[in-house]
């Protein structure tokens, strides 16, 4: 626009000058060597302008002729450069599509046409890498180290080759050298940080991270998180050697990243070791609100050493209330409730956990609960079998690697802060495959009190003689307790019954079948049967034996049984009252004594019945 205005201005001035000359006519006279030429002023001006134009044209033509060799050489050089750039672009396109042969061919052509262009050397080296000619590629990258402009490129290529060959020392050296030559180089900064973290050089890794943050290679959030990870790893290493330094590092890491579980657990553990219970609980509570974890619950429960199970239960209840409707809180509360004996609370929380996340640990805790509360082996085996088929529990996962403990770097590629707490990949989406759980299996079994008569039925039938005649037989004591429902004085002993048992110990009342016979009639149990069936069969056998004993007792008492005539007469002869007019009270705190040679369920030594030698007098066994 400015040039156009200048051109218009010049043209306007020329027009004004021409008009001024035209308004003032005159003659221009040229007198030279006897010749006299007279022309008008306008004619002389036009002739002068044409002469100047012709001179300029002739001068330009002369210059073109003189410069023609240089111009011709420049033309050929430009044409060669254009061909080289075209070959270089084709080689780069071939590298992009993975055609190593075409890339190598055009790279060589570009190298011939562009001898001094560093891009052609890079294309040749990368095409050799792509074709698998690693020795050639390494030689070309090493040659680049001689050129200051190409040295960072050569270091990067040699770093890639060292990574491919599995040489971490050489790779770390090339990355460090590149970071020193070009501060803020992204690949070099990240590589140096990763190698220092893998090697456990935590102080150097923190310095490298700070340099990367200063060069704006990472944002502020990532910088705080990664620094917390490095400080936590350093604190874990110093936990046993220098607890004070470890506590300081763990506290700083928790301040930088409150949601980092390992830092919080370590800080709480070190505070507990020092006796600072309040600080340990505060650290765990802050992290639990952001990311609940089983290790946090364990550290919170054991924040004060020496506490009872009930104290730990109260503490975990307050922790679980901070993050309601969470599976980690339910599982932690159920585990502590089982230890404290609060089976109802443990069952309630495990039901909630089965609804939220039915993983293996929940089923195992249900098995522990059934064993602790009821001792029902059938239910225990049922929950254990479900645990085998249940999805796996959450774990620390990084790049497909499942680990039991947290680590600061990935074991696959050395990436910092790679481990996350999540379900293993093989268990994701398996919640729908969990078998349906019957509601009756989730409920607690009803309490079944054991009657003393049922527990001692077999022993009462096998009694030979009672060591205390004034106390009566064991059956008499049982009958008296069933009839009165209180601990009244026992009835008088039955001499006829005692005599009968002394002379014929094998005879028993036909109305009271032996529990052993009942169990024998039920047949052998198959090897794969559930233990719940065994318990049910045992309960039915004990119930049958108790009913038969009650029937026989009722017949004897009414006088309609077969031994009614024998028992009525001795029963009339009751024991006379002791001096003072009161009966002798039965001492319930004294152990019950039985004149048995061995326990009723003990078969005794082999060949005991066939021994012809004199028998030793039966000793007494005591029961509470």
């Amino acid at each position: 626009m400015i040039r156009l205005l200048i051109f218009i201005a010049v043209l306007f001035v020329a027009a004004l000058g021409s008009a001024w000359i035209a308004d003032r006519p005159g003659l221009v006279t040229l007198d030279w060597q006897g010749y006299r030429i007279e022309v008008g002023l306008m004619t002389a001006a036009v002739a002068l302008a044409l002469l100047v134009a012709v001179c300029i044209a002739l001068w330009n033509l002369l210059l073109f002729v003189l410069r023609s060799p240089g111009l011709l050489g420049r033309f050929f050089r430009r044409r060669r450069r254009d061909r080289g750039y075209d070959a270089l672009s084709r080689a780069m396109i071939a590298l992009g599509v993975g055609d190593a042969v075409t890339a190598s061919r055009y790279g060589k052509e570009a190298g011939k046409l562009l001898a001094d262009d560093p891009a052609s050397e890079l294309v040749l080296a990368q095409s050799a890498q792509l074709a698998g000619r690693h020795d050639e590629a390494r030689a070309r990258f090493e040659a680049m180290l001689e050129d200051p402009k190409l040295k960072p490129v050569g270091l990067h290529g040699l770093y890639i080759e060292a990574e491919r060959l599995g040489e971490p020392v050489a790779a770390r050296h090339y990355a460090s050298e590149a970071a020193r030559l070009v501060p803020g180089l992204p690949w070099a900064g990240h590589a140096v940080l990763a190698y220092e973290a893998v090697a456990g050089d935590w102080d150097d890794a923190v310095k490298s991270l700070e340099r990367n943050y200063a060069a704006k290679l990472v944002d502020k959030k990532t910088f705080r998180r990664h620094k917390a990870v490095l400080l936590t790893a350093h604190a874990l290493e110093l936990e046993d050697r220098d607890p004070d330094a470890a506590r300081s590092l763990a506290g700083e890491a928790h301040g930088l990243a409150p949601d980092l579980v390992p830092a919080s657990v370590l800080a709480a553990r070190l505070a507990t070791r020092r006796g600072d219970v309040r600080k340990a609980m505060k650290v765990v509570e802050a992290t639990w609100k952001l990311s609940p974890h089983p290790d946090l619950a364990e550290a919170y429960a054991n924040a004060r050493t020496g506490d009872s199970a009930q104290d730990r239960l109260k503490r975990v209840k307050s922790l679980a209330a901070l993050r309601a409707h969470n599976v980690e809180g339910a599982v932690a509360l159920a585990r502590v409730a089982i230890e404290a004996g609060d089976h109802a609370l443990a069952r309630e929380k495990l039901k909630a956990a089965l609804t939220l996340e039915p993983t293996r640990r929940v089923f195992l805790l249900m098995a522990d609960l059934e064993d602790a509360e009821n001792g029902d082996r059938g239910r225990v085996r049922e929950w254990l079998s479900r645990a085998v088929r249940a999805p796996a529990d959450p774990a620390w996962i990084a790049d497909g690697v499942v680990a039991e403990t947290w680590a600061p770097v990935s074991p696959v590629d050395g990436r910092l802060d790679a481990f996350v707490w999540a379900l293993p990949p093989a268990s994701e989406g398996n919640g729908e495959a969990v078998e349906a759980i019957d509601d009756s299996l989730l409920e607690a079994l009803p309490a079944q009190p054991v009657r003393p008569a049922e527990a001692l039925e077999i022993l009462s039938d096998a009694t030979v003689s009672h060591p205390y005649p004034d106390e009566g037989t064991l059956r008499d004591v049982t009958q008296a307790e069933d009839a009165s429902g209180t601990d009244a004085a026992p009835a008088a002993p039955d001499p006829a019954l005692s005599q009968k048992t002394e002379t014929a110990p094998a005879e028993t009342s036909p109305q009271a079948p032996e529990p052993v016979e009942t169990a024998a009639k039920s047949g052998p149990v198959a090897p794969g049967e559930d233990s719940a069936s065994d318990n049910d069969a045992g309960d039915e056998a004990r119930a049958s034996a108790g009913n038969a004993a009650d029937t026989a007792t009722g017949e004897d008492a009414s006088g309609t049984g077969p031994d009614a005539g024998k028992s009525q007469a001795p029963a009339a002869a009751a024991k006379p009252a002791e001096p003072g007019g009161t009966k002798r009270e039965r001492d319930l705190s004294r152990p019950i004594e039985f004149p048995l040679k061995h326990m009723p369920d003990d078969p005794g030594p082999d060949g005991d019945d066939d021994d012809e030698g004199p028998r030793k007098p039966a000793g007494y066994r005591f029961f509470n």
Side-chain angles (χ1 to χ4, degrees):
M1 186 66 182
I2 297 177
R3 292 180 181 180
L4 179 61
L5 293 176
I6 293 174
F7 174 75
I8 294 174
V10 171
L11 184 62
F12 180 73
V13 171
L16 288 177
S18 300
W20 184 80
I21 294 175
D23 292 339
R24 293 168 177 77
L27 294 175
V28 177
T29 302
L30 179 62
D31 190 0
W32 184 67
Q33 295 291 330
Y35 294 97
R36 186 181 180 86
I37 302 174
E38 293 182 354
V39 295
L41 182 60
M42 287 296 298
T43 304
V46 171
L48 181 61
L50 290 176
L51 180 62
V52 172
V54 171
C55 292
I56 292 174
L58 291 176
W59 177 255
N60 288 334
L61 179 62
L62 178 63
L63 290 178
F64 175 76
V65 173
L66 295 176
R67 295 176 180 176
S68 59
L71 295 175
L72 186 62
R74 184 184 302 174
F75 168 76
F76 284 112
R77 287 195 301 272
R78 183 176 298 174
R79 181 182 179 185
R80 182 184 181 90
R81 186 180 60 185
D82 292 342
R83 289 175 55 194
Y85 284 143
D86 181 69
L88 183 62
S89 63
R90 290 175 180 270
M92 295 178 68
I93 293 174
L95 283 176
V97 300
D99 188 357
V101 177
T102 305
S104 179
R105 178 164 59 86
Y106 282 112
K108 291 179 180 179
E109 182 179 352
K112 293 178 181 178
L113 297 175
L114 303 173
D116 298 333
D117 197 332
S120 61
E121 297 294 332
L122 177 60
V123 167
L124 288 175
Q126 289 184 344
S127 63
Q129 274 185 332
L130 185 62
R133 302 189 300 272
H134 299 289
D135 295 337
E136 178 185 350
R138 191 160 50 251
R140 290 185 178 274
F141 285 127
E142 289 176 353
M144 294 180 187
L145 299 179
E146 304 298 331
D147 189 352
K149 296 184 298 183
L150 294 178
K151 189 173 183 178
V153 179
L155 290 173
H156 185 237
L158 293 174
Y159 167 78
I160 294 177
E161 287 295 313
E163 283 277 307
R164 183 187 63 81
L165 295 175
E167 296 291 341
V169 178
R172 181 177 178 179
H173 167 72
Y174 294 134
S176 302
E177 189 68 15
R180 185 183 62 83
L181 288 176
V182 185
L185 191 60
W187 71 266
H190 293 307
V192 170
L193 175 61
Y195 277 109
E196 289 173 347
V198 170
D201 300 335
W202 310 118
D203 294 333
D204 295 339
V206 170
K207 294 178 181 178
S208 298
L209 180 62
E210 292 175 350
R211 286 195 297 267
N212 292 345
Y213 178 66
K216 298 183 180 181
L217 300 181
V218 293
D219 55 4
K220 185 176 182 179
K221 182 179 179 181
T222 305
F223 166 72
R224 291 173 62 89
R225 176 76 180 188
H226 286 181
K227 186 174 182 179
V229 170
L230 294 174
L231 293 176
T232 302
H234 196 188
L236 287 172
E237 185 178 311
L238 298 176
E239 181 180 5
D240 296 331
R241 292 183 297 164
D242 192 353
D244 294 335
R247 184 173 60 256
S248 176
L249 293 174
E252 184 180 357
H254 175 70
L256 291 172
D259 59 339
L260 185 60
V261 174
S264 303
V265 172
L266 179 59
R269 187 165 61 241
L270 292 173
T272 300
R273 186 184 302 179
R274 194 181 183 184
D276 195 349
V277 179
R278 184 180 299 273
K279 183 176 181 180
M281 297 174 62
K282 184 178 179 181
V283 168
V284 173
E285 289 173 356
T287 307
W288 181 270
K289 296 177 183 178
L290 300 175
S291 56
H293 194 274
D295 293 345
L296 292 173
E298 182 179 359
Y300 198 81
N302 299 302
R304 181 184 290 108
T305 57
D307 280 356
S308 63
Q310 294 295 335
D311 294 337
R312 294 196 300 271
L313 178 59
K314 293 179 182 178
R315 194 177 298 120
V316 175
K317 281 183 179 179
S318 63
L319 179 66
L322 297 177
R323 187 76 178 267
H325 307 291
N326 182 265
V327 66
E328 298 296 345
V331 171
L333 193 55
R335 181 177 286 109
V336 180
I338 293 176
E339 296 177 359
D342 193 347
H343 300 146
L345 177 61
R347 190 175 296 275
E348 176 187 354
K349 294 303 177 181
L350 288 178
K351 286 181 183 179
L354 286 173
T355 304
L356 295 173
E357 191 177 279
T359 54
R360 191 169 300 161
R361 56 178 176 175
V362 183
F363 291 95
L364 293 177
L365 284 176
M366 284 298 299
D368 294 340
L369 176 60
E370 295 293 350
D371 186 33
E373 183 178 10
N374 304 316
D376 193 333
R377 296 183 180 178
R379 284 197 169 195
V380 172
R381 284 204 292 265
E382 174 67 21
W383 286 114
L384 291 178
S385 63
R386 290 177 180 270
V388 173
R389 300 186 297 270
D393 297 328
W396 292 108
I397 304 174
D399 299 327
V401 178
V402 180
E404 295 182 359
T405 57
W406 174 84
V409 295
S410 170
V412 178
D413 56 1
R415 183 165 50 93
L416 193 63
D417 192 26
F419 277 94
V420 294
W421 180 258
L423 291 173
S427 299
E428 293 180 355
N430 290 350
E432 299 179 357
V434 178
E435 300 179 7
I437 301 175
D438 191 4
D439 293 339
S440 61
L441 189 60
L442 295 174
E443 300 298 333
L445 291 176
Q448 298 180 359
V450 181
R451 296 175 56 192
E454 296 176 357
L456 302 176
E457 183 69 27
I458 300 176
L459 299 179
S460 63
D461 292 337
T463 302
V464 177
S465 62
H466 201 282
Y468 304 103
D470 55 349
E471 294 286 6
T473 61
L474 183 61
R475 181 181 295 275
D476 297 334
V477 175
T478 305
Q479 291 175 0
E481 291 178 354
D482 293 341
S484 62
T486 59
D487 294 339
D494 191 349
L497 183 59
S498 301
Q499 183 178 2
K500 180 180 178 181
T501 53
E502 290 178 0
T503 55
E507 296 180 3
T508 58
S509 176
Q511 286 79 2
E514 292 291 334
V516 179
E517 295 177 359
T518 304
K521 291 178 182 179
S522 61
V525 181
E529 281 190 22
D530 197 352
S531 65
S533 301
D534 301 340
N535 296 335
D536 295 339
D539 294 340
E540 293 176 1
R542 289 192 297 269
S544 301
N547 294 336
D550 293 341
T551 304
T553 304
E555 291 178 356
D556 294 343
S558 61
T560 58
D563 296 336
K566 297 180 181 180
S567 61
Q568 288 176 357
K575 179 180 178 182
E578 294 182 1
T582 59
K583 296 183 179 181
R584 175 182 169 185
E585 294 289 340
R586 179 162 54 94
D587 189 3
L588 298 179
S589 63
R590 183 175 57 188
I592 303 174
E593 303 176 1
F594 297 93
L596 302 176
K597 184 175 181 181
H598 50 77
M599 298 296 291
D601 56 348
D602 185 6
D606 297 337
D608 188 31
D609 296 336
D610 299 335
D611 191 6
E612 299 296 339
R615 296 178 179 269
K616 295 182 179 180
Y620 292 100
R621 295 297 179 97
F622 300 98
F623 296 82
N624 284 329

